[in-house]
């Protein structure tokens, strides 16, 4: 807006306002004291934490600005390893998805020869189901009908068990679906939901915003972040004794931030626990396509549950998927779905009403979910390109997962479980006592201090373990495996050099 | 999934589960009792109301299915006048918006000759600002930087006052921005926010979900739904005496469901009231482009506030805009923005954190907001087509607003204020006492009964006034002005014929 000048307030003639003086005079009010500060701002908002975009990433954004000017740093840009945002680190999109999205946005392109026949057919089918308004109209609050069918087909093929359109809700990313279920589940301030530690912090943040209680259970780092039944029982009993009514349990597999793929037998234990304790299971399965080890396969909680005997078949389950992860990585779409199983009619009705208050999920995200659950099959014009893009990216992620874990384990006092899946490593680091003291004297957690040091020293932005929770006295950080593969040697060296420098400085 | 058979639960061998029998035997639990039913479902969810997709629209969807089979009805499809969803009723999209969206979704199209140069330039600018990941990556939690700048420019041109990127948050539709502010504002269960009656029911629904109190003030139907200072004072005092701490006031202009455009002098009164009573103003201005009368112009609350004397310049204001309304009508994008003014640094920080918990608004919606706030100007290749589309649609809406109001006023015992703006008429209807009795004997509000009758008789789906609130003893319904102009005579006749039939039946 160069050259254009705008009024600043206070400068205009106040001719209209004389009458207010007389109205106002009956109220003694010399100045307006802001509402939204201190205790005027919701406590639960002030208390909610979301470290993925917290202190360290905020400093990284500042640093990025400084680097544009005359920075003395030994690096010229920030490597953002704080968010699972693949395309921002040049991991390419799947062409087919983008083609279908463009066709739905601008249907005139259906006449163009630039697009393969299967992408056009896909777009036509969606546009027909969405009705006259196409991608420009609100859909049914559960989502466009044919896309919910795509999700049903996808789940049925994956699990070998029936799914139903009435149990599918298309959402603005998985976060939105998780938020819907949490709202339904929190019936009072004494409601608790069990969440893993370390945990993707969305769960605790949502519970905090709803005024409810996270009931934390520790994952067992020594057994590759498995879930221990004894730990679940302990956490449950302690919270129950303190008056909390526990109504749900969250599990994340493949794990975020921990990268493990939970064993089928482990999932069975959790389902049995939920059965006995009468809990709704919230299964975060957004990384279901991201498994890098040949020894393990993703298995959905729904399939495990359906494989179990009859008495388990009423256990309530909500499972979440996303357009943002897998090899699609379409974070910007904010597409996702929520599948519920064994919900009462009443709960389904309330869920639908809740979804309808926000009208519907964005259509672009819905269409992305359609492409993800109904991608090109063998024999279709787009298949070979799709398959090449898929396997290139997934095999590269697998190599990166391996490299990062090797690098972390090569660092003194640092250990890192195998990155079996998802997009993260969560190494445990030893922080010298003197560094812990310096950190605390600055009012910082030692791992935040370490992550800030890493950022300043090397330009690599990670999230401190305290943002996800960790056993007292242990320190971790979460890094994504997403920097471009060709940059990996350099990024790994950055981690190692900083670690060496840090230990030298503080072990003295 | 024809021909494919899936397992049903219970049918598989239970070999894995013998050990659970022994674990489980220590807990006496013969069956799993569902968590999510009755009081296990959040009270606030059960109590939240959202009539726009409530009983009448739900029946309309059923009826639509019935019409596909062998229905005896005198109409062959449902005319959905319940939601402001323009494109679903064949009101066309703006081509330029769709072009830019397609280019951002599939940047290979930037090489195609199918697109005008200005749309390409627009897309390139957004993709550059969004960074490597383009439309496929999470953006900053406030939105893509250049799109926030577009919004700032738009507001500055509109108001002649400064705006700032730091005060702009791009959101998933206006609903999402409103939800952010409500979360920030509700600090306890005794928090109240003033909402108009009739009201777009999102506000009360959000307050209910947050466990807070809507403090209702009546709009004055006799003065074209204006806001009366005496009514504000009365509502405020009564609630304050009952222990409610009132922290905000919602106003909607142009009005939903009421279609009025508030006068500048009326806005000044409300700002003065907010100043004296220390309230955050929530200004729902999503219909700012939808003004149909030559006598009135939309004026933003921010401009009115900035025009006022110095002492008002600290009054906190949040204003909401959307991609879904105006002549764009891009409901499916779920694009919107929130501008805050006079917020403390602390409030801004908390707002940013809150936005970051959901990562960011969907990029497709953000890009739509860019096109809406930075549309083609005179001299650009897309200008004439854009201008033609804009003026065709807005002038047609104006004619439809006029027709609907004329038709409503022609009906016996029915009166309808001028539809000055937005997308709705909210006529007041007289319902014969005998019809009211029949309604109540069926456990229905009389206006719900009327709307259901209209639906069954004529296939026209409207929302009963009770879904928005109305003075006790009065009855209304909300209809959109969105059916295609060529269908208007038929739709108006449907309203009139049903009304006549209804009066005959119940006055008889």
């Amino acid at each position: 807006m160069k050259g254009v000048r705008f009024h600043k307030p206070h400068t205009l003639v106040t001719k209209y306002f004389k009458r207010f003086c007389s109205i106002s005079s009956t109220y003694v009010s010399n100045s307006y004291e802001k509402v939204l500060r201190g205790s005027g701002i919701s406590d639960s908002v002030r208390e909610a934490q979301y470290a993925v975009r917290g202190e360290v990433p905020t400093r990284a954004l500042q640093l990025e600005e400084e680097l544009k000017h005359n920075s003395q740093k030994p690096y010229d840009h920030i490597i953002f390893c704080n968010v699972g945002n693949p395309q921002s680190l040049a991991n390419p999109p799947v062409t087919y998805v983008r083609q279908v999205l463009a066709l739905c946005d601008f249907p005139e392109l259906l006449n163009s020869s630039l697009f393969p026949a299967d992408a056009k057919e896909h777009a036509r089918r969606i546009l027909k189901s969405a009705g006259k308004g196409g991608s420009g109209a609100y859909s049914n609050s559960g989502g466009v009908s044919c896309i919910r069918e795509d999700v049903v087909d996808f789940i049925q093929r994956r699990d070998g068990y029936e799914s139903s359109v009435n149990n599918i809700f298309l959402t603005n990313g998985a976060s939105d679906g998780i938020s819907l279920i949490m709202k339904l589940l929190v019936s009072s301030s004494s409601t608790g939901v069990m969440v893993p530690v370390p945990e993707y912090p969305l769960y605790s943040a949502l519970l905090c915003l709803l005024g409810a209680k996270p009931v934390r259970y520790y994952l067992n780092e020594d057994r590759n972040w498995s879930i221990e039944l004894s730990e679940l029982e302990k956490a449950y009993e302690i919270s129950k004794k303190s008056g909390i009514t526990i109504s749900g349990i969250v599990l994340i597999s493949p794990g975020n931030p921990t990268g493990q793929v939970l064993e089928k037998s482990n999932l069975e234990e959790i389902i049995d626990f939920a059965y006995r304790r009468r809990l709704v299971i919230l299964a975060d399965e957004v990384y279901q396509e991201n498994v890098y080890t040949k020894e393990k396969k993703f298995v959905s909680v729904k399939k495990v549950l359906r494989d179990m005997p009859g008495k388990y078949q009423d256990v309530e389950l909500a499972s979440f998927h996303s357009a943002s992860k897998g090899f699609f990585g379409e974070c910007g779409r904010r597409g996702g779905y929520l599948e519920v199983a064994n919900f009462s009619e009443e709960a389904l009705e309330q869920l639908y009403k809740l979804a309808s208050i926000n009208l519907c999920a964005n259509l672009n995200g819905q269409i992305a979910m359609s492409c993800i659950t109904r991608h090109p099959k063998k024999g279709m014009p787009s298949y070979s390109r799709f398959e090449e893009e898929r396997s290139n990216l997934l095999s590269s992620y697998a190599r990166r997962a391996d490299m990062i874990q090797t690098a972390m384990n090569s660092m003194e006092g640092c250990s890192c479980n195998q990155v079996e899946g998802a997009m993260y490593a969560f190494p445990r680091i030893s922080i010298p006592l003197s560094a812990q003291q310096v950190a605390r004297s600055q009012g910082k957690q030692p791992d935040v201090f370490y992550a800030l040091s890493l950022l300043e020293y090397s330009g690599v932005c990670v999230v401190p373990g305290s943002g996800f929770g960790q056993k007292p006295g242990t320190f971790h950080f979460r890094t994504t495996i997403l920097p471009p593969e060709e940059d990996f040697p350099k990024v790994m060296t950055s981690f190692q050099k900083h670690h060496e420098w840090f230990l030298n400085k503080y072990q003295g």
Side-chain angles (χ1 to χ4, degrees), chain A:
Chain A
M1 302 298 290
K2 269 180 205 157
V4 184
R5 296 194 55 223
F6 296 100
H7 301 299
K8 304 230 176 196
H10 306 228
T11 59
L12 292 185
V13 182
T14 63
K15 62 177 177 175
Y16 303 115
F17 301 98
K18 287 189 182 149
R19 65 198 156 92
F20 288 123
C21 301
S22 60
I23 296 173
S24 302
S25 66
T26 59
Y27 305 93
V28 184
S29 171
N30 291 316
S31 69
Y32 175 90
E33 205 187 321
K34 296 198 186 204
V35 178
L36 287 169
R37 63 181 182 195
S39 62
I41 299 173
S42 158
D43 280 347
S44 41
V45 170
R46 283 187 295 156
E47 282 161 19
Q49 303 273 332
Y50 190 70
V52 177
R53 296 203 164 186
E55 182 180 358
V56 181
T58 303
R59 173 65 192 134
L61 289 172
Q62 283 171 358
L63 208 49
E64 192 177 42
E65 279 306 303
E66 291 170 27
L67 289 172
K68 287 182 190 160
H69 309 293
N70 57 347
S71 159
Q72 306 284 311
K73 298 287 182 187
Y75 44 86
D76 59 7
H77 68 286
I78 303 294
I79 297 161
F80 285 94
C81 297
N82 58 309
V83 187
N85 194 3
Q87 296 189 24
S88 74
L89 292 170
N91 296 292
V94 170
T95 306
Y96 182 80
V97 177
R98 298 307 193 89
Q99 288 170 330
V100 175
L101 288 170
L103 288 162
C104 289
D105 278 349
F106 190 47
E108 283 185 29
L109 294 171
L110 287 165
N111 306 318
S112 148
S113 58
L114 291 170
F115 293 83
D118 48 357
K120 286 186 186 177
E121 176 50 33
H122 197 143
R124 275 196 199 95
R125 178 171 163 274
I126 292 172
L127 292 172
K128 189 176 167 204
S129 178
K132 271 184 199 135
S135 66
Y138 298 127
S139 69
N140 176 298
S141 296
V144 173
S145 162
C146 81
I147 304 180
R148 292 166 97 187
E149 285 165 18
D150 292 342
V151 172
V152 164
D153 285 357
F154 166 81
I155 293 171
Q156 292 187 157
R157 271 182 278 118
R158 185 193 67 191
D159 295 343
Y161 284 108
E162 278 186 332
S163 177
S164 154
V165 164
N166 295 328
N167 290 339
I168 305 295
F169 292 79
L170 298 171
T171 54
N172 287 318
S175 308
D176 187 24
I178 295 165
S179 168
L180 286 173
I181 294 294
M182 287 292 193
K183 280 180 189 157
L184 207 63
L185 200 54
V186 172
S187 51
S188 83
S189 61
S190 66
T191 301
V193 175
M194 300 186 75
V195 296
V197 176
E199 166 218 22
Y200 176 57
L202 174 68
Y203 296 95
S204 289
L206 288 174
L207 287 168
C208 181
L209 290 174
L210 290 166
K213 305 277 180 304
V215 173
R216 299 194 163 90
Y217 65 90
Y218 287 107
L219 302 175
N220 188 344
E221 184 166 12
D222 297 333
R223 287 180 54 191
N224 203 17
W225 302 112
S226 64
I227 298 179
E228 304 290 330
L229 188 58
S230 57
E231 172 64 21
L232 294 182
E233 298 286 4
K234 194 174 86 184
Y236 184 96
E237 286 298 340
I238 292 171
S239 293
K240 195 182 162 193
K241 274 180 195 140
S242 72
I244 295 175
T245 308
I246 305 170
S247 61
I249 180 169
V250 173
L251 63 91
I252 311 175
S253 180
N256 178 2
T258 39
Q260 84 283 30
V261 178
L262 293 177
E263 302 273 5
K264 187 172 184 193
S265 58
N266 206 180
L267 296 177
E268 288 164 357
E269 287 177 309
I270 300 158
I271 293 167
D272 182 65
F273 176 77
Y275 167 78
R276 287 182 289 109
R277 297 306 200 168
R278 202 173 157 239
L279 303 175
V280 178
I281 301 173
L282 284 77
D284 181 335
E285 300 179 320
V286 300
Y287 297 101
Q288 58 189 268
E289 315 264 11
N290 299 96
V291 178
Y292 310 121
T293 161
K294 289 194 183 75
E295 292 78 48
K296 289 209 177 164
K297 250 185 75 177
F298 168 77
V299 53
S300 76
V301 176
K302 172 132 175 267
K303 174 172 169 50
V304 176
L305 191 151
R306 290 293 182 230
D307 280 353
M308 288 170 77
K311 68 172 183 171
Y312 295 104
Q313 299 309 320
D314 277 341
V315 173
E316 291 150 292
L317 167 66
S319 120
F320 310 101
H321 198 9
S322 168
S324 306
K325 311 303 174 186
F327 51 94
F328 295 98
E330 290 286 353
C331 297
R333 310 290 151 211
R334 313 305 290 115
Y337 78 70
L338 154 67
E339 185 198 20
V340 299
N342 303 329
F343 272 35
S344 67
E345 271 307 309
E346 189 188 354
L348 268 178
E349 264 172 38
Q350 294 298 330
L351 190 57
Y352 188 82
K353 181 181 72 184
L354 208 47
S356 79
I357 291 175
N358 285 328
L359 296 158
C360 69
N362 86 84
L363 272 278
N364 194 257
Q366 292 193 35
I367 296 163
M369 284 317 289
S370 174
C371 298
I372 286 167
T373 51
R374 189 192 174 88
H375 52 65
K377 303 282 176 308
K378 228 173 201 161
M380 292 166 90
S382 299
Y383 179 73
S384 62
R385 184 170 184 177
F386 170 79
E387 189 47 32
E388 192 188 336
E389 291 172 346
R390 189 193 70 81
S391 64
N392 280 350
L393 198 55
L394 283 182
S395 58
S396 173
Y397 282 164
R399 289 190 298 272
R400 289 184 246 180
D402 195 53
M403 281 190 273
I404 213 158
Q405 164 194 330
T406 306
M408 292 302 143
N409 282 314
S410 77
M411 282 160 33
E412 189 186 335
C414 184
S415 65
C416 184
N417 277 326
Q418 190 182 357
V419 181
E420 297 175 332
M423 295 182 168
Y424 314 100
F426 195 67
R428 179 169 170 175
I429 44 172
S430 58
I431 297 181
L433 274 177
S434 64
Q436 294 184 36
Q437 280 158 2
V438 177
R440 295 211 159 96
S441 73
Q442 295 178 10
K444 290 192 197 309
Q445 301 266 18
D447 60 352
V448 174
F449 181 75
Y450 181 92
L452 285 169
S453 167
L454 172 64
L455 173 64
E456 299 289 342
Y457 185 92
S458 66
V460 177
C461 177
V462 299
V463 185
S466 51
F468 306 94
Q470 53 200 351
K471 282 213 163 161
T474 70
F475 303 109
H476 301 76
F477 62 81
R478 187 188 81 168
T479 174
T480 70
I481 60 164
L482 298 175
E485 194 172 350
E486 59 272 25
D487 294 352
F488 249 62
K490 215 179 85 191
V491 178
M492 295 306 104
T493 306
S494 296
F495 275 117
Q496 289 162 326
K497 276 199 164 166
H498 165 263
H499 193 72
E500 216 169 286
W501 170 86
F502 187 87
L503 291 190
N504 275 336
K505 181 167 176 186
Y506 292 103
Q507 276 174 343

